[in-house]
Amino acid sequence: EVQLVESGGGLVKPGGSLRLSCAASGFIFSSYSMNWVRQAPGKGLEWVSSMTSSSTYIYYADSVKGRFTISRDNAKNSLYLQMNSLRADDTAVYYCARDRVAAGSPGSVFDYWGQGTLVTVSS
Amino acid sequence: DIQMTQSPSSLSASVGDRVTITCRASQTISSYLNWYQHKAGKAPNLLIYATSNLQSGVPSRFSGSGSGTDFTLTISSLQPEDFATYYCHQSYSTPNTFGQGTKLEIK
């Protein structure tokens, strides 16, 4: 059974940092591109970042470029999101999602998602 | 960026009703359109991919159609477990973008 479990969320002050993790199981993690998608309170889904299976290609939404860094450790079946210079509008539930297609290619399908981890940016 | 506009934003319906949700892209996205169901506090669930392909394990009352810029998700006979928020998602280009969501509520 495919499972994605996010962790690392919490309350952080504006300008602070946080590192999210996503532990994957039930599939060959090293074969899949992975994504981070977020949902701000009362808002819809927003794609944040994606990374190909071997970390060769990485993509970011303009809203987080230069502040967030996606990474993965295929030996540990884990995906990460390092979030720096956090702002109030980064407050959201952050989901990791598996992609059937190579990140950056047309036709992405987010076929499995975790339940999310809440990040709250507030003073 | 490609803008995705869903309509309606919310919808009240009864068990057994046929429901259609539409999604319009600001430019052509070929057939690169997916639909997800999302219930509060849970992981989003893939329903339909590439416009009309039913994800494994998803009931056949869900179907999708469209091409180019206009797409629809249809639920043929609403069941109690279908009350949720539905999102379309274009994967024609990066950044991938989602519609704003359609909240389906019980009448």
Side-chain angles (χ1 to χ4, degrees), chain B residues 71-91:
Chain B
F71 302 86
T72 62
L73 172 71
T74 300
I75 310 172
S76 60
S77 178
L78 273 174
Q79 298 303 300
E81 61 269 28
D82 299 338
F83 292 95
T85 300
Y86 293 83
Y87 292 94
C88 62
H89 159 224
Q90 71 79 17
S91 59

Side-chain angles (χ1 to χ4, degrees), chain B residues 42-101:
Chain B
K42 299 210 167 182
N45 183 42
L46 173 67
L47 299 174
I48 302 285
Y49 63 95
T51 298
S52 60
N53 295 279
L54 193 67
Q55 169 69 354
S56 176
V58 173
S60 59
R61 63 181 179 272
F62 291 93
S63 63
S65 64
S67 68
T69 60
D70 294 308
F71 302 86
T72 62
L73 172 71
T74 300
I75 310 172
S76 60
S77 178
L78 273 174
Q79 298 303 300
E81 61 269 28
D82 299 338
F83 292 95
T85 300
Y86 293 83
Y87 292 94
C88 62
H89 159 224
Q90 71 79 17
S91 59
Y92 177 78
S93 66
T94 301
N96 284 190
T97 47
F98 292 85
Q100 81 277 16

Side-chain angles (χ1 to χ4, degrees), chain A residues 39 95 100 106-108 110 114, chain B residues 32 34 36 38 43 46 55 87 91:
Chain A
Q39 183 178 34
Y95 300 94
R100 275 188 194 162
S108 282
F110 300 166
Chain B
Y32 297 120
N34 308 313
Y36 303 88
H38 192 201
L46 173 67
Q55 169 69 354
Y87 292 94
S91 59

